[in-house]
Amino acid sequence: MLDIEILLISGSFLLIACVLMSKLTGKIGMPTLLVFIGVGMLAGSEGLGGIVFDDHSLAQTIGIISLVLILFSGGLDTEWKRIKPYIPHGVSLATLGVLITCGMVGAFAKIVFHFSWAEALLLGAIVSSTDAAAVFTVLRARGLSFSSGLREVLELESGSNDPMAVFLTLFFIQVLGHQELSYPALIGSFFLQMGIGLVVGVGAGRWLRVLLNKVRLEFEGLYPVLTISFALLTYAITQKLGGNGFLAVYVAALILGRATFIHKKSLILFHDSIAWLMQILMFLALGLLVYPTKLVEVTSDGVILAIFMLLVARPLAVFVTLLPTKFNWREKTMISWMGLRGAVPIVLCTYALSANAPKSGLIFNIVFFVVLVSTLIQGFTLRPFASLLKVGAPLKKKIRFPFEYVAGSEIQSELKELEVPHDSVVVSKSIAELNMPQKLLIVLLKRGEDVFSPRGSTVFQGGDTLLILAESKEYNEVVKLVTQVSQAENKAFEEAEPVHGEVEL
């Protein structure tokens, strides 16, 4: 039996290696998931570590818990006002887009790999979801943003397409298990699962907000324990009720994230750290499951499928799904190119492995190879591709403030950032000239690389970033004032052709 000291030394070394190596890969724009998986493979039975790990059920459990906490963190950190206009686009990609991808990959696997229809569609369902963490890690490393709502659509799609992929995967596993299923029952089951997940998610998010603000805990460190427990509870209850637990967790986090609650900034930061830890643990476990010698056997199949998905299946799904939208062909092409595959497809493979589905081992190796190829090709080409399509923009670095303000027994005021547009009516005017709400305080002003406390005589310039302490009502008043276009700029704007506004990553 392995003693606890050796286990802790090995585990800690692997975690430290993943963290330190992510710094190096970040500079060259390589997604960190490749680092984590690579470390796991090196530590595996065929690697330097020689660790034998073939417990698919344990890997599935680790994957589920990790995905729950990752989805909760992603939803919590999502700005509702920013993504709200793009909800139909993201939801359509997360449902219809996943279905089209599943069908296209299934047909390809049926013809090229000579799978049965059920096996081929299982493969299609497993690889149909995208990974937000892989995309935005590369974008941050490359210093890239976008001009339009591309980031919002991708964020919504990758955060909400996991439930659909899970549903389809479990369905085709049941088909391979020779369970009698009808299409009406399938459609009814889909709407029932998604409906229960949506209702439970909305209710859980609202209850958690009330709980956080009403229950005054004696120790601040207990608040993260409460939110983690609530996220896991939301998933478990939804699954027991016959709903989709992943959808419920993501919706609950979205509902909570759009509200004001105690220790919001510190909780978001904590869950971001937990999400990173869960990603590392999940990728390490999945890396340990892989036998590199078996990957060599599926090299040609994996490369062919990855190229087909990149050049045919994904673009078709995006262009068909976003056909009624105002996105032009360049933006749709960029959205299709950014559909990186990550942890979810590999985790979904563990469902098939645990159920002993036919060809589940072969499917696992193919999917694993597809994820590696997809991440390498798309990860290293995102920036030049964005430049070629003329949809990229420099990434604006946001200043981070490591503190928050809580007034009284209830949350009244909080610190928020606000950028002054170059065409704003407040440009070239001093703070004293403007009719600012009395309860509002501009704590800091960032101009270029300088950060200082403004005075009444301070004159605003376009591009200034303000750190404002205010209640929601006063903050909204200032937002309306600052975002008003000056008369000269407004006239020029009306005469110009309408274009997409820039959205910061």
Side-chain angles (χ1 to χ4, degrees), residues 38 42 114-115 124 171 203 205 250 253 278 296 348 361 443 448 452 455 484:
L42 286 174
H114 305 294
F115 283 8
F171 170 74
Y250 185 67
M278 291 298 102
V296 176
L348 292 180
V443 181
F452 57 92
R455 299 181 179 180
Q484 286 182 19

Side-chain angles (χ1 to χ4, degrees), residues 172-395:
F172 290 116
I173 288 176
Q174 290 177 320
V175 171
L176 287 169
H178 303 290
Q179 298 186 25
E180 294 185 3
L181 296 169
S182 63
Y183 287 107
L186 170 65
I187 297 173
S189 176
F190 171 77
F191 284 105
L192 179 64
Q193 287 189 32
M194 299 304 169
I196 293 175
L198 184 62
V199 171
V200 175
V202 171
R206 291 179 176 176
W207 273 107
L208 183 54
R209 176 184 62 81
V210 173
L211 192 62
L212 287 170
N213 287 334
K214 295 296 183 181
V215 178
R216 294 292 169 178
L217 300 176
E218 295 295 328
F219 304 100
E220 184 178 340
L222 289 176
Y223 284 97
V225 178
L226 179 63
T227 52
I228 287 179
S229 303
F230 215 90
L232 296 173
L233 180 64
T234 299
Y235 171 82
I237 289 178
T238 307
Q239 290 292 121
K240 282 297 182 182
L241 292 176
N244 193 294
F246 294 115
L247 178 63
V249 169
Y250 185 67
V251 171
L254 280 177
I255 296 296
L256 180 63
R258 65 180 295 194
T260 302
F261 56 90
I262 192 170
H263 303 308
K264 183 174 183 177
K265 292 183 183 296
S266 59
L267 283 173
I268 290 176
L269 181 61
F270 170 81
H271 278 281
D272 183 57
S273 300
I274 289 296
W276 276 109
L277 177 61
M278 291 298 102
Q279 285 189 67
I280 294 174
L281 291 177
M282 177 171 56
F283 290 134
L284 282 175
L286 296 174
L288 289 171
L289 281 176
V290 176
Y291 291 88
T293 53
K294 293 184 178 180
L295 289 181
V296 176
E297 300 173 2
V298 298
T299 298
S300 58
D301 292 343
V303 171
I304 292 172
L305 180 57
I307 293 175
F308 173 79
M309 290 181 60
L310 183 62
L311 300 180
V312 181
R314 172 68 178 177
L316 181 65
V318 170
F319 274 79
V320 171
T321 304
L322 299 181
L323 184 63
T325 68
K326 295 181 179 179
F327 288 112
N328 58 44
W329 69 269
R330 290 187 179 89
E331 293 164 336
K332 292 175 183 176
T333 302
M334 194 67 221
I335 291 174
S336 67
W337 194 261
M338 290 180 64
L340 275 75
R341 267 56 191 177
V344 177
I346 304 176
V347 172
L348 292 180
C349 285
T350 63
Y351 284 82
L353 289 169
S354 298
N356 292 317
K359 296 185 179 179
S360 57
L362 176 60
I363 290 175
F364 177 84
N365 291 325
I366 292 176
V367 169
F368 201 100
F369 199 88
V370 166
V371 169
L372 295 180
V373 173
S374 168
T375 305
L376 280 171
I377 294 177
Q378 293 165 270
F380 283 109
T381 58
L382 280 182
R383 187 179 181 87
F385 205 68
S387 299
L388 179 65
L389 295 173
K390 299 179 180 180
V391 296
L395 179 64

